[in-house]
Amino acid sequence: MVLKVYISGMSGNKEVKKRQQRVLMILESKNIAYEVIDITEPGRETDKEFMQNKSTSNGATVSDPEPRHPLPPQIFNDEEYCGDYDAFDMANEIDTLEQFLKVAPPVEATPAAQPENGEAKTTNGDAVDAGENKENEGGESAEEKTAKNAEEGENAEV
């Protein structure tokens, strides 16, 4: 999937220019790959029509609160609409930008990787040697100790 940012290289609106620069700057800083599509370039009429027809947010600015057509920047992931500048900025502020852009890898439950030194951390923070029988000084396995600690934590809250 390709992230596409629709911009206007010849906008006379300073707010639109600043918004476009900010979007591109944030994407660069987060190392998110994207393609810039300048809808004002010759031969980009179909891209301009696509952006205007598929954008559900109009990208209103202070100087143009009710534009006739959606204003750049408009952000798409391939042909799937992500949003306008305001939605992008909000996602960036609340740290959900990757989900907004639909570029976040799916969250999978994976087992904890074994560190190079052979020790793995248990859920209670104790290190356990991966090569041993995983018993601590009390004769309990790491799993039993974790379960016991969880029960103690629940009882402490009551």
Side-chain angles (χ1 to χ4, degrees), residues 21-157:
Q21 290 173 339
R22 180 167 162 77
V23 167
L24 300 179
M25 179 189 69
I26 289 169
L27 292 173
E28 285 288 328
S29 71
K30 295 188 177 281
N31 295 319
I32 298 173
Y34 63 93
E35 176 184 345
V36 174
I37 299 175
D38 186 345
I39 60 171
T40 60
E41 289 180 352
R44 292 289 192 162
E45 291 79 17
T46 56
D47 290 324
K48 180 179 179 180
E49 288 174 18
F50 173 82
M51 182 202 83
Q52 290 177 342
N53 293 331
K54 297 291 184 178
S55 298
T56 57
S57 301
N58 63 5
T61 63
V62 173
S63 61
D64 193 358
E66 295 183 28
R68 289 186 310 214
H69 301 288
L71 296 175
Q74 296 288 336
I75 299 120
F76 289 79
N77 193 327
D78 276 334
E79 295 189 6
E80 187 177 356
Y81 184 63
C82 297
D84 65 353
Y85 171 80
D86 290 329
F88 175 91
D89 193 45
M90 179 57 71
N92 184 52
E93 291 298 319
I94 62 174
D95 203 25
T96 59
L97 188 58
E98 287 80 9
Q99 291 87 355
F100 167 78
L101 298 172
K102 300 166 180 56
V103 296
V107 179
E108 297 178 17
T110 56
Q114 292 289 335
E116 289 182 23
N117 64 5
E119 290 186 353
K121 294 283 184 186
T122 62
T123 55
N124 65 1
D126 292 339
V128 181
D129 186 0
E132 294 182 6
N133 194 9
K134 295 184 182 169
E135 290 199 332
N136 60 25
E137 43 307 322
E140 299 172 321
S141 70
E143 292 83 11
E144 291 170 333
K145 186 173 181 180
T146 301
K148 184 178 176 183
N149 287 345
E151 287 177 16
E152 289 173 1
E154 289 173 6
N155 292 337
E157 293 176 11

